[in-house]
Amino acid sequence: MDDVQDPIYIRREDPAPGVARIVLARPETRNAQSPTLLYQLDAAFADATADNSVKVIVLAADGPDFSSGHDLKAGFTLPCAPVATLQAGLGAEGAEGHYAFECEAFLGLCKRWRDIPKPTIAQAQGRTIAGGLMLLWPMDIIIAADDATFSDPVTAFGVNGVEYFTHAWELGARKAKEILYTGRALTAAEAREVGMVNHVVEPAALQEFTTQLATAIAARPQFGLRLAKESVNRSLDAQGQSTALDSAIALHNLGHANNLARYGSILDPAGAEVIRAAARTAVRT
Ligand code: ZN
């Protein structure tokens, strides 16, 4: 993908036999997701998937935080041809073009990554905010440092939540509603308690713990792992997850369209102050 090579926001490492580690390498913006970063990440996932020496893929992040979410300053234009959807409406004015962009670059890429036919493990430290969850939740297993927090405060901007809307599966329906309604960050311990996170470890042990788990998984036959993954993902689909995702992205874009009509912007411009005010009066549990 020559047109998404510069600047480089993704790094590939090979920490152990059978294990590829793909690293978000844009710490100066807390790994904010520009379209370029997302498509470089997709290319790295595709390369590791096609590489027969790789059995398990780890997703990691440089710097103090896993991801601060979407890079709103980077705009909403693809850096390359679409890979997850057929071109229809990209670049169109109003809600039409933005809906096409989000179906491709946000929901479309996340669905591709959820269904990578190899086990995937994310390791998260520091903050993961809104769009950051879009990189974590499609992974099969999540390991969190004990300083990690997870939040989706975007009801403040007049939309439902991050575009990959698996909240009810990740958190359970009641906790999902509380977190969406308040914007409050979940701690790593809370995330483990509700089943969103598999293990919580000391920050200094995050890399080693994750690599050891990946190595243990890589000792098993590739096809057995693939069949196990597909069986679990199909169970989620049988519960209606893929249909729920398609419904939520449409409602999400109804929110964007409402904001466009009211404010001339896809986000309610008062949202940032709502989030700041909530942080000042935060109720900790
Ligand atoms: Zn959106």
Side-chain angles (χ1 to χ4, degrees):
M1 248 182 230
D2 292 342
D3 47 355
V4 289
Q5 288 302 309
D6 187 39
I8 301 294
Y9 294 140
I10 299 292
R11 183 175 70 252
R12 157 85 179 263
E13 299 171 348
D14 297 278
V19 179
R21 184 192 296 136
I22 295 169
V23 184
L24 308 176
R26 201 188 179 201
E28 65 279 7
T29 64
R30 301 293 192 256
N31 299 310
Q33 299 159 28
S34 64
T36 297
L37 180 145
L38 291 173
Y39 281 85
Q40 287 179 359
L41 176 59
D42 184 76
F45 278 140
D47 286 348
T49 301
D51 183 342
N52 289 334
S53 73
V54 173
K55 294 180 74 176
V56 179
I57 300 169
V58 170
L59 176 63
D62 282 344
D65 296 306
F66 181 77
S67 177
S68 57
H70 297 320
D71 181 351
L72 300 175
K73 294 187 188 130
F76 302 99
T77 305
L78 297 190
C80 56
V83 298
T85 59
L86 292 168
Q87 150 68 323
L90 287 165
E93 293 292 316
E96 181 182 357
H98 194 74
Y99 183 52
F101 175 85
E102 292 208 349
C103 286
E104 159 63 28
F106 296 162
L107 181 58
L109 289 184
C110 288
K111 283 184 165 183
R112 257 163 78 81
W113 301 338
R114 189 202 77 153
D115 289 332
I116 289 169
K118 293 182 175 179
T120 55
I121 308 176
Q123 57 176 73
Q125 76 280 7
R127 289 170 294 180
T128 299
I129 302 171
L133 296 168
M134 196 183 89
L135 307 188
L136 277 188
W137 286 351
M139 300 295 103
D140 297 328
I141 291 172
I142 299 174
I143 312 299
D146 63 17
D147 68 346
T149 62
F150 309 94
S151 63
D152 191 3
V154 301
T155 56
F157 293 115
V159 292
N160 48 356
V162 68
E163 291 86 359
Y164 186 74
F165 205 96
T166 53
H167 302 64
W169 279 270
E170 299 293 349
L171 308 174
R174 292 195 191 284
K175 186 61 84 178
K177 288 174 182 170
E178 178 197 335
I179 292 308
L180 289 165
Y181 292 171
T182 64
R184 180 175 74 80
L186 277 178
T187 64
E190 285 179 295
R192 180 179 54 191
E193 191 182 320
V194 297
M196 189 200 112
V197 157
N198 294 73
H199 299 280
V200 177
V201 299
E202 296 275 328
L206 181 63
Q207 189 110 302
E208 181 60 22
F209 183 96
T210 307
T211 304
Q212 283 186 8
L213 177 60
T215 301
I217 294 170
R220 289 174 178 267
Q222 184 77 67
F223 198 47
L225 296 169
R226 176 177 182 166
L227 296 178
K229 174 166 184 166
E230 288 187 11
S231 297
V232 174
N233 284 1
R234 289 182 194 183
S235 300
L236 294 170
D237 288 340
Q239 292 174 340
Q241 190 183 77
S242 56
T243 305
L245 280 168
D246 291 342
S247 176
I249 193 77
L251 293 174
H252 179 95
N253 276 270
L254 173 61
H256 282 323
N258 182 52
N259 289 329
L260 263 180
R262 285 192 179 188
Y263 312 116
S265 157
I266 61 165
L267 300 177
D268 183 337
E273 179 49 34
V274 172
I275 290 171
R276 277 194 290 271
R280 285 195 293 271
T281 60
V283 177
R284 303 299 302 177
T285 57

